[in-house]
Amino acid sequence: MNYALITAGILPALVLLYYIWRRDKYQREPVSQLVKGFFLGVISTVFAGGIEAGLVQIGFVPDNPQTWLGAIWDAFAGVAVVEEGVKLFFLWLLLRRNKYYDEMTDGIVYAVCIGMGFAAAENIGYLVANIAEWKQVAIGRAIFSIPGHFMFAVAMGYYYSVCHFTYASVREKFCLLFIPVLLHGIFDSLLMMANVTPQLSGLIWLVFVIFCLCLPRIARKKINKLLEQDRQWKDLYI
């Protein structure tokens, strides 16, 4: 067993999970709940992978898109909607009777648990599939893909808590799935488009990097907003 490969596949996800757990400074979630959420995220990859394979099998999405339109369709319909939808379902399973889900920031923490479990399992799959050059793949995915799943999870957790704890508008309820799918779809679309048109890959990669640099700012804003809300509630009731 290649322990270095497994460590490289899991460690970036665990680091980001630890980061968000530490940010939840008012009432941190039990480690047992984090572990449960992480493994539900791992399990969710099986369901997502099965659905994605089925969509390719019936011809709903291309297995190997050759055009920009095909790449965008595959990224959104074949990947983003499926993976974010499955992660949302498992987040619901985790939180529907969770007595520890009592602060708004907890929604982000638990969504990240699901997201990082998903990302770790997916990451190991990619490293095994590219065993000859797994170290290079591990570095690239640690820089882009794992943080990407983290940002998608932050968005989902933010809107999940807004819908759970407040009188959410129709727009906010819609955003619960739409925003993670939008971010994930743009992320994958750019990567697939770079493969479809190698002559423009440099420009597309530049756009991709700029997009990835914008994601942490969005995530920090969402995290800080819920932390501030939790602080206000804490001051109000204590």
Side-chain angles (χ1 to χ4, degrees):
M1 182 179 292
N2 192 330
Y3 292 105
L5 183 150
I6 295 174
T7 300
I10 296 177
L11 186 59
L14 294 181
V15 168
L16 290 173
L17 178 53
Y18 178 74
Y19 164 78
I20 197 63
W21 181 70
R22 292 289 298 177
R23 287 299 309 274
D24 185 19
K25 56 187 177 181
Y26 297 116
Q27 189 173 333
R28 293 195 177 110
E29 305 312 291
V31 174
S32 61
Q33 294 299 308
L34 304 184
V35 173
K36 181 179 179 181
F38 186 88
F39 278 103
L40 283 176
V42 171
I43 294 170
S44 71
T45 61
V46 178
F47 289 82
I51 296 171
E52 289 170 348
L55 293 178
V56 171
Q57 188 69 27
I58 65 175
F60 185 72
V61 293
D63 185 25
N64 186 24
Q66 301 297 317
T67 65
W68 276 24
L69 184 60
I72 294 171
W73 175 250
D74 191 12
F76 277 91
V79 180
V81 170
V82 173
E83 294 186 1
E84 298 307 320
V86 169
K87 284 188 281 187
L88 178 58
F89 172 72
F90 276 87
L91 179 61
W92 173 78
L93 284 180
L94 178 63
L95 295 183
R96 64 191 182 113
R97 295 179 181 174
N98 192 328
K99 65 180 181 180
Y100 300 103
Y101 182 33
D102 53 7
E103 295 178 320
M104 294 194 74
T105 309
D106 297 348
I108 292 179
V109 174
Y110 286 119
V112 169
C113 287
I114 299 291
M116 292 302 92
F118 187 101
E122 181 184 70
N123 205 29
I124 291 175
Y126 272 99
L127 300 188
V128 171
N130 297 275
I131 192 69
E133 49 186 19
W134 71 265
K135 292 181 181 179
Q136 299 93 310
V137 174
I139 293 172
R141 291 187 60 81
I143 295 173
F144 294 110
S145 299
I146 306 299
H149 278 286
F150 175 84
M151 308 304 171
F152 313 151
V154 168
M156 180 178 292
Y158 171 85
Y159 286 106
Y160 197 100
S161 279
V162 169
C163 293
H164 181 80
F165 288 105
T166 71
Y167 294 103
S169 65
V170 174
R171 173 184 171 275
E172 288 168 328
K173 293 177 181 178
F174 177 72
C175 286
L176 172 57
L177 183 59
F178 175 75
I179 296 300
V181 166
L182 178 64
L183 297 177
H184 196 157
I186 293 173
F187 185 98
D188 282 6
S189 290
L190 291 170
L191 291 176
M192 293 182 184
M193 288 163 62
N195 290 330
V196 169
T197 53
Q199 64 273 22
L200 295 176
S201 61
L203 177 61
I204 296 173
W205 268 98
L206 177 60
V207 175
F208 175 75
V209 171
I210 293 173
F211 174 72
C212 289
L213 291 175
C214 292
L215 288 178
R217 182 178 179 183
I218 297 172
R220 283 194 298 270
K221 185 176 179 180
K222 299 295 186 187
I223 294 168
N224 290 336
K225 187 172 181 178
L226 293 195
L227 281 171
E228 176 59 23
Q229 183 64 66
D230 287 339
R231 185 193 66 78
Q232 292 177 4
W233 286 0
K234 182 174 180 292
D235 292 343
L236 182 63
Y237 292 107
I238 295 179

